[in-house]
Amino acid sequence: MAGKPKSMSKIKQLLQLHKQGESKKSIARILDISRNTVKAYLEKLPHIQSDIDDLIALENPELEKQFHAGNLAYKEDRYVHLKNRLDYYSKELGRVGVTRQLLWEEYKVDYPNGYARSQFFFHLSQHRKAAKPTMILTHHPGEKLYIDFAGKKLSYVDRKTGEVVECSVFVACLPYSDYGFAIAVRNQSVEEFLYALGRCLHFLGGVPQVLVPDNLKSAVIKADRYEPDINTALEDFANHYGTTVIPTRPAKPKDKALVENQVKLVYSRVFAKIRNQRFFSLSELNKAISEKMLDHNQTRMQNKSYCREEKFMAYEKHHLSPLPNQLFEIKYYKTYKVQQNNHVQLGQDNHFYSVPYIYIGQKAKVIYTRSMIRIYIDGSCVATHRRNRTSNAYSTVKDHLCSTHKHYLNRSPGYYIRRARHCCEVLHHFTQLLFDQNRPPEQLYRTCDGILRLYSKTDKELFKRACKLAITHKIYSYGFILKLIKTKMVDHPEEAQKRSLPNHDNIRGEKYYS
């Protein structure tokens, strides 16, 4: 599998297409990768102890570990150079006397470190095979969903400010039945685009085999360092819903002629009919759009005895795949180094998340959504956290800490009392009395550490007698017990006999004070 490894989102698309019965050549053409690469990935499947559905369900770092055990050495400069000139070479082959051998010789003069003749011939042959002539497309029920944004916009009035808020209109249709869907969204950002697409699939009540959007880059309006590339986000969306993405060619409106026509119908049957209405929220606007789209789908089609909704319900809906149980969340990908305090910092929220301390200093791949954080090292998920947007704060799992740090965080009166109970009854009683004093518990933790250490190093009977003597004199101190043990004062009677005063005549008595 020479060359730069493909993104795992694209490999999931490859697996989806293979599962749907597509040939290697078709997969290579659809995904714009070489057939040898497709073949190499598919040949690895029998050696992986997981079926296709389980592989698709894996997160990208885990899937990458399945296919790529280690880092691959690759060079892509020569392929990019050749790829940029394949159209020129294909055109030159049509000229009189021009052969592949001549073109390769010119190519080697221009780029001495390029491919050998056999590889040059192969790439040129593959490129020419991929150039298909225009043909009439035959659509099958539940196969494709065409999606696009209308060029014109709708608007509503903000009640508080009186501002006119313009909205983009997302339009989609199933080419077999021409069943349409439209919804207004705030803009054409990645989040709004995928939100509208998700609403569309839930409106249809199922998932088609293929999503056919316009050129994906047209959906990215605002550049943002934390916003994922639309291709990755849309591929993740498709993997979640169990479908594939085959975008149209840039500047080729014939690839999606039906949705272009659907947009024109939306202009006449939605835009025109609500042009004199005033809306004061996005939900009001979408309610009106939904009503007009319902009329559109229930209107008899020209020269046909049925409407779009009837054809969809009768022949297409049952061909759609079922919807997943969970809603889709956009995944964002970042790479961080595990800090010395065994946390990684998510830059967008400036929040820190713990990983096991054994990974300190290693690079971690972080996949985060609106609600969850997953941290991967060497293709394995080592930590999962709920997303916390509190700035300069820490989300820490105690099991991720070393024993010293765990001990420090676990300290409490109850913790030390439980440890003392496991040692002996006398120490348990002493520790309870120690914390019953009117002192802050934090001031007594080090005393407890010292006494427990002393217990482990001292003869148990000697230690018990020292504790009893300290309890008798109500002196709850590590130093006092240590002194008793070192000076062996515990060998003397615990209480001195009380002696009465000697008899003598120098006693005043009660009469003196009367």
Side-chain angles (χ1 to χ4, degrees), residues 178 256-266 308:
D178 203 28
K256 52 181 178 61
L258 283 175
V259 75
E260 294 286 348
N261 183 64
Q262 192 75 211
V263 170
K264 294 179 182 178
L265 293 173
V266 168
R308 292 172 175 83

Side-chain angles (χ1 to χ4, degrees), residues 89 103-117:
Y89 293 140
L103 292 176
W104 175 72
E105 291 173 357
E106 293 176 354
Y107 164 75
K108 290 295 287 184
V109 171
D110 182 52
Y111 197 80
N113 295 327
Y115 288 104
R117 186 178 65 173

Side-chain angles (χ1 to χ4, degrees), residues 13-30 38 42 143-144 209-210 244 246:
Q13 293 289 289
L14 184 153
L15 296 176
Q16 289 279 10
L17 290 168
H18 176 66
K19 179 182 174 183
Q20 293 173 9
E22 297 285 349
S23 66
K24 295 183 182 67
K25 178 180 177 182
S26 178
I27 295 173
R29 176 176 55 80
I30 291 170
V38 176
L42 294 181
E143 181 186 21
K144 295 180 180 179
Q209 296 180 20
V210 180
T244 56
I246 304 177

Side-chain angles (χ1 to χ4, degrees), residues 334-347 350-356 359-367 373-377 382-383 385 393-396 400:
K334 297 293 290 184
T335 300
Y336 296 106
K337 185 177 180 179
V338 180
Q339 299 181 4
Q340 195 65 29
N341 60 3
N342 66 285
H343 285 70
V344 295
Q345 180 184 13
L346 183 60
N350 196 25
H351 192 89
F352 298 82
Y353 297 91
S354 67
V355 299
Y359 298 112
I360 289 174
Q362 297 189 32
K363 287 188 177 181
K365 292 184 178 180
V366 179
I367 299 179
I373 305 288
R374 291 181 175 84
I375 302 172
Y376 295 83
I377 295 178
V382 298
H385 298 270
Y394 290 78
S395 293
T396 304
H400 293 167

